[in-house]
Amino acid sequence: MTHPTLLVIAHGSRDPRHAATVHALTERVRAERPGLRVETAFLEFNAPSVPRVLERLAAQGADEVVALPLLLTRAFHAKTDIPSVLREARARLPRLHIRQAEVLGPSPLLNATLERRLREAGVRPGDLPRTGLVLASAGSTDPEAIAVIAEIARELRHTGWCAVRPAFASALLPRTEDAVRELRAEGVERVAVAPYVIAPGRLPDRIAAGAEAAGADVLADVLGPAPELAQLLLNRFDEARVPVGASLSA
């Protein structure tokens, strides 16, 4: 038996910053756990593809892979695209045991990453009582994904912000600029925008443009290769390896 391989599956983008950020994140995961083989694959736009990486691993004698969706919510890609790709791979590569890990969110480690990026953008704890926060996600039509974003916004509201509004770069309203203007109309003194996305690309750029157009005071960076996010990937990897009915030790 070989040690399991962690296969991080990102969506992919025509924007080269996306793949660069994903690779930086997987490099941090490798650094956090030396000896763990970590591979990266993409659903579209970037190489290597998921089937290509799995075929290479099988040819090299790997017998167990944990496929981890680099996704923040359980929406179409996590429920349909990735399972379909993995089913086809299992049929072609019957000796390769492939498990699909859970998506990354929701998680306190994601909230901690958001807080890190906001601090880096200049938000201080004393600013929160007079600052409204726009939690700007990519957007989805999946009710489960929408509910997760709404719940995260509610959780953040209890951490000291004077108000928190979710916003979406696609699929749903309000857009980032609308949420910023809504907070201004309610008399909020300062507004910060936190992109709830992992890597740069078209939708994060849309979030940034909306924040600028509406005059937000603070725009945080994307989540990116933060240490909290790297730890979350390792947590999901470990959870996927635990047999059903068992639990991770403290």
Side-chain angles (χ1 to χ4, degrees):
M1 292 286 288
T2 60
H3 292 293
T5 297
L6 170 58
L7 174 60
V8 177
I9 302 178
H11 181 271
S13 170
R14 293 186 178 89
D15 188 323
R17 296 173 298 165
H18 176 91
T21 301
V22 171
H23 288 305
L25 176 58
T26 54
E27 282 297 329
R28 184 178 281 274
V29 172
R30 291 186 189 99
E32 291 291 330
R33 188 168 297 182
L36 173 63
R37 182 171 182 177
V38 183
E39 297 285 344
T40 308
F42 298 89
L43 287 174
E44 53 185 342
F45 301 122
N46 302 104
S49 67
V50 178
R52 180 62 59 88
V53 174
L54 291 171
E55 288 163 5
R56 173 164 52 82
L57 289 171
Q60 293 172 350
D63 54 23
E64 184 179 357
V65 173
V66 172
L68 173 57
L70 195 63
L71 301 169
L72 298 177
T73 59
R74 274 180 46 79
F76 182 80
H77 294 305
K79 293 177 177 179
T80 303
D81 279 354
I82 292 177
S84 176
V85 170
L86 297 182
R87 276 196 305 272
E88 292 173 4
R90 291 186 188 103
R92 292 194 318 273
L93 308 166
R95 295 185 180 180
L96 186 62
H97 180 58
I98 305 170
R99 300 189 189 193
Q100 181 176 336
E102 289 296 327
V103 297
L104 300 178
S107 167
L109 286 169
L110 288 173
N111 292 3
T113 307
L114 278 173
E115 292 168 2
R116 169 187 288 274
R117 296 307 184 212
L118 285 160
R119 287 196 307 272
E120 292 169 350
V123 176
R124 299 292 176 258
D127 298 332
L128 269 59
R130 60 191 182 94
T131 304
L133 177 65
V134 175
L135 179 70
S137 71
S140 173
T141 58
D142 187 284
E144 182 179 352
I146 297 167
V148 166
I149 299 301
E151 179 58 28
I152 294 169
R154 284 191 291 268
E155 291 176 2
L156 290 171
R157 176 66 182 85
H158 295 297
T159 62
W161 300 93
C162 72
V164 180
R165 296 286 186 276
F168 307 93
S170 66
L172 295 174
L173 297 175
R175 296 288 186 254
T176 302
E177 54 269 35
D178 299 328
V180 172
R181 291 173 180 137
E182 179 183 333
L183 289 170
R184 294 284 195 211
E186 293 175 4
V188 173
E189 182 179 344
R190 298 178 77 244
V191 178
V193 174
Y196 191 65
V197 291
I198 293 173
R202 178 175 57 88
L203 295 181
D205 283 350
R206 188 178 293 174
I207 291 170
E212 181 179 0
D217 299 282
V218 175
L219 172 64
D221 201 354
V222 297
L223 301 177
E228 297 88 351
L229 191 53
Q231 183 58 57
L232 179 55
L233 265 65
L234 289 170
N235 289 356
R236 293 291 185 254
F237 171 76
D238 292 336
E239 291 161 3
R241 295 187 61 206
V242 175
V244 175
S247 60
L248 288 169
S249 61

